[in-house]
């Protein structure tokens, strides 16, 4: 019997969201625009990795980078319409995790 093939679009979406930190960065930006340091401190991610993730998510058109010409220059990151459309997906995962996931310190040994 032939196995059904996974839709390439679904596979790409899962690949983007499952790459370490990507979903957390998107989740962190759900409330609105934030600066690099705000995202970094909220997630606890290294600057280099966050920079790489932000560039990748911008390339995927999930977030946008805005340079605000102040002194000093302010750079804010926010979700695009495409990025905002992930909110129900991430909220559903959040609800599922509250019911089914245990914190690391509660794992059975």
């Amino acid at each position: 019997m032939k196995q059904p093939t996974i839709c390439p679009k679904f596979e790409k979406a899962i690949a983007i969201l499952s790459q370490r930190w990507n979903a957390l960065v998107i989740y962190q930006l759900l409330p609105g625009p934030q600066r690099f340091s705000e995202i970094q401190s909220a997630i606890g991610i290294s600057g280099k990795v966050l920079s790489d993730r932000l560039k990748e998510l911008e390339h995927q058109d999930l977030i946008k980078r805005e340079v605000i010409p102040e002194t000093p220059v302010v750079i804010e990151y926010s979700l695009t319409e495409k990025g905002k459309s992930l909110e129900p997906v991430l909220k559903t995962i959040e609800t599922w995790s509250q019911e089914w996931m245990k914190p690391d310190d509660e794992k059975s040994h």
Side-chain angles (χ1 to χ4, degrees), residues 16-17 19 25 30-31 33 44 46 49 64 73 76 78 87 91-92 97 100 103 107:
I16 292 168
L17 288 176
Q19 184 165 6
V25 169
L30 286 176
S46 79
V49 174
K64 65 183 174 192
V73 170
E76 281 189 340
S78 59
E87 183 170 11
K91 293 292 185 177
T92 299
S97 70
W100 295 100
K107 286 183 179 174

Side-chain angles (χ1 to χ4, degrees), residues 26-88:
I26 295 166
Y27 184 82
Q28 183 60 34
L29 289 172
L30 286 176
Q34 293 182 37
R35 295 172 71 173
F36 187 95
S37 59
E38 294 173 299
I39 301 167
Q40 184 179 17
S41 63
I43 298 175
I45 182 176
S46 79
K48 166 140 182 32
V49 174
L50 178 56
S51 178
D52 291 346
R53 293 294 158 260
L54 289 169
K55 285 177 189 168
E56 180 187 340
L57 292 169
E58 187 176 10
H59 177 74
Q60 297 290 340
D61 194 33
L62 293 168
I63 66 167
K64 65 183 174 192
R65 179 181 185 265
E66 184 178 2
V67 179
I68 301 164
E70 295 179 358
T71 306
V73 170
V74 173
I75 299 173
E76 281 189 340
Y77 296 90
S78 59
L79 295 174
T80 62
E81 185 178 340
K82 182 178 174 181
K84 287 177 188 169
S85 71
L86 285 167
E87 183 170 11

